[in-house]
Amino acid sequence: AQTVTQSQPEMSVQEAETVTLSCTYDTSENNYYLFWYKQPPSRQMILVIRQEAYKQQNATENRFSVNFQKAAKSFSLKISDSQLGDTAMYFCAFMSSPYSGAGSYQLTFGKGTKLSVIP
Amino acid sequence: DAGVIQSPRHEVTEMGQEVTLRCKPISGHDYLFWYRQTMMRGLELLIYFNNNVPIDDSGMPEDRFSAKMPNASFSTLKIQPSEPRDSAVYFCATQVIANTGELFFGEGSRLTVL
């Protein structure tokens, strides 16, 4: 079974600064998807960014980017120019590729990192 | 589309009572998942459906929990009888595999069992 580990339960960053959240995972599969989800105090889970394992290029979405190291099974999230609205829980998640034949498309989530952006 | 709709948003009940949580998925999404979130255990998958058929219910904690999806537009998660340790936020999420697997979550139902 896949496992996802987020080693930083809490982090803080000054507004406008850059912060990196760590995530490692364990799998024997070669094709899979990785995700970062954000959960603000409103509780709604929102997709931040997605990475497909077969793509070597790191995904970016505006101020959010990832550092995907497939051999190391590492998938960190970098938030640039942090804003107060970035304050939230951030969850890393893993999913087997639907084309891998694994037959299960569930996402496995890490325990989360609570990020606080300080004014 | 209105997104995944869950009800109730908050539920407070007493131990032993039956609890029913409801979910209306996004139209056209083939997969529906029920997750439970607690501080101690994080997000746990309880059960998921594909085209209204339960595929994997190995995460359902006990026989007190049951889930149904009678049609493509509606799913329920029932707890009978409820216990204080069932207190958690329950999320429904849907997915279209052709869209690379992103989960679309509802706003969650916060359950408190006294």
Side-chain angles (χ1 to χ4, degrees):
Chain A
Q2 288 81 14
T3 58
V4 178
T5 302
Q6 294 180 249
S7 58
Q8 306 148 316
E10 291 191 43
M11 294 188 72
S12 62
V13 62
Q14 290 289 137
E15 194 175 5
E17 296 296 307
T18 296
V19 65
T20 298
L21 309 183
S22 301
C23 173
T24 58
Y25 57 94
D26 186 24
T27 184
S28 58
E29 298 174 18
N30 191 46
N31 295 318
Y32 46 86
Y33 295 99
L34 296 163
F35 306 84
W36 279 98
Y37 276 84
K38 169 184 177 181
Q39 186 180 37
S42 67
R43 210 165 72 202
Q44 179 82 51
M45 294 281 284
I46 303 163
L47 179 68
V48 174
I49 200 163
R50 172 202 304 122
Q51 176 80 40
E52 296 160 42
Y54 69 88
K55 290 186 176 179
Q56 293 187 346
Q57 186 172 7
N58 289 326
T60 62
E61 287 288 342
N62 300 314
R63 297 182 295 106
F64 299 88
S65 61
V66 298
N67 183 3
F68 173 49
Q69 301 289 327
K70 190 173 183 179
K73 297 180 183 176
S74 171
F75 184 61
S76 61
L77 174 69
K78 184 171 83 170
I79 307 175
S80 304
D81 185 26
S82 297
Q83 301 175 0
L84 296 178
D86 296 333
T87 292
M89 284 288 290
Y90 286 81
F91 293 92
C92 179
F94 171 100
M95 190 190 85
S96 299
S97 167
Y99 309 107
S100 70
S104 173
Y105 309 129
Q106 61 176 286
L107 269 66
T108 300
F109 288 86
K111 290 290 181 66
T113 296
K114 184 178 181 181
L115 177 67
S116 298
V117 179
I118 303 166
Chain B
D1 201 319
V4 177
I5 299 173
Q6 288 187 248
S7 64
R9 187 139 167 81
H10 303 276
E11 173 95 6
V12 180
T13 190
E14 293 189 348
M15 183 173 63
Q17 296 299 305
E18 178 179 295
V19 174
T20 299
L21 307 179
R22 298 172 178 82
C23 175
K24 177 178 167 55
I26 295 173
S27 176
H29 283 199
D30 297 336
Y31 287 81
L32 183 143
F33 300 78
W34 283 99
Y35 280 88
R36 178 172 67 177
Q37 185 180 33
T38 61
M39 289 290 292
M40 290 296 294
R41 301 172 72 91
L43 277 157
E44 301 174 279
L45 177 67
L46 300 177
I47 185 172
Y48 77 95
F49 297 83
N50 176 215
N51 291 326
N52 315 336
V53 176
I55 303 300
D56 185 353
D57 65 354
S58 59
M60 297 285 261
E62 307 172 26
D63 291 345
R64 298 184 297 106
F65 285 69
S66 62
K68 294 182 180 179
M69 192 165 184
N71 56 62
S73 302
F74 186 62
S75 178
T76 59
L77 178 67
K78 185 175 294 186
I79 308 172
Q80 167 63 19
S82 59
E83 297 183 3
R85 59 193 167 121
D86 301 332
S87 297
V89 178
Y90 292 82
F91 284 100
C92 176
T94 65
Q95 183 185 59
V96 176
I97 290 299
N99 196 30
T100 68
E102 176 185 351
L103 278 183
F104 294 80
F105 283 81
E107 293 184 316
S109 295
R110 179 178 293 280
L111 173 65
T112 302
V113 183
L114 303 174

